[in-house]
Amino acid sequence: RKSGNGTRFDGLDMASELADHFLACIDTTSDSLMFAIWALSREENRKYQEKLIDEVDQIPNTDCNGEGNPKAEAVDKLPYLDAVIKETLRLYAPLPASEPRSIPADTTIDGYLIPAGTVVSMSPYTLHCNPEVFPEPLKFKPERWLGQCGDLAEMKKWFWAFSSGGRMGIGLK
């Protein structure tokens, strides 16, 4: 097989690519779900669990399948669930450590020259804990994603749980 740039993949290359995709999808999803469950189960967050239960209880039967489970389209219409997921990813990003990148040519960003080959790195956790963007950054507050505390447009700019660019995580969509 050939990659998108025309180079050939051998068996080890293909196995490595598949392992990356499986691990990226399985570990990050299970870790994020575990953190969501943990955050919601804490006593100080009981109110968020109750709000989420109330929202799910409002799903009409017509939006559920034969077993009574909500269809994907119904889940896409749950703003509080979306807020809980975003807040979980903000505090417990699937890849919270630094994400190093380098570029092949000199580049100027915000007035700073970054020479070709320089490795720069960004930490989602650090971005997500900026108190100027996320008031009370260490608190689990799903309502911030409903525009109830802070500038929602600015928070969305700083939200980097899935990285960005060519190596962005596929979980964003």
Side-chain angles (χ1 to χ4, degrees):
R1 292 205 146 172
K2 288 188 177 184
S3 71
N5 66 10
T7 58
R8 287 192 108 9
F9 280 151
D10 64 18
L12 184 58
D13 291 331
M14 284 190 280
S16 178
E17 280 294 311
L18 288 169
D20 285 350
H21 286 286
F22 282 131
L23 290 174
C25 295
I26 294 169
D27 284 353
T28 56
T29 301
S30 63
D31 288 352
S32 295
L33 286 171
M34 183 269 309
F35 277 119
I37 292 166
W38 177 78
L40 289 168
S41 71
R42 297 176 54 95
E43 184 60 37
E44 66 267 23
N45 296 333
R46 179 184 297 267
K47 62 186 173 193
Y48 302 130
Q49 184 183 134
E50 290 170 359
K51 282 184 181 183
L52 187 57
I53 290 168
D54 288 343
E55 183 178 69
V56 170
D57 282 346
Q58 299 304 313
I59 298 172
N61 288 338
T62 55
D63 286 345
C64 295
N65 64 19
E67 287 96 42
N69 297 317
K71 298 175 187 172
E73 300 82 26
V75 175
D76 287 341
K77 298 175 193 167
L78 300 175
Y80 200 76
L81 174 61
D82 185 64
V84 166
I85 291 169
K86 278 191 176 96
E87 186 66 353
T88 299
L89 291 170
R90 184 189 69 81
L91 274 174
Y92 314 105
L95 297 171
S98 65
E99 297 182 25
R101 302 288 189 269
S102 66
I103 52 174
D106 289 357
T107 303
T108 301
I109 298 175
D110 226 9
Y112 293 92
L113 172 66
I114 300 173
T118 300
V119 175
V120 294
S121 191
M122 186 61 68
S123 165
Y125 182 79
T126 302
L127 286 173
H128 296 164
C129 287
N130 180 344
E132 293 176 16
V133 179
F134 301 99
E136 298 182 275
L138 300 179
K139 289 186 100 177
F140 183 80
K141 294 174 75 171
E143 66 270 17
R144 76 176 76 238
W145 297 103
L146 300 171
Q148 297 174 7
C149 51
D151 180 345
L152 186 57
E154 191 68 13
M155 286 190 293
K156 287 180 178 181
K157 285 185 210 172
W158 283 69
F159 185 70
W160 211 52
F162 296 97
S163 188
S164 60
R167 299 186 63 189
M168 179 173 66
I170 62 173
L172 181 61
K173 295 290 177 184

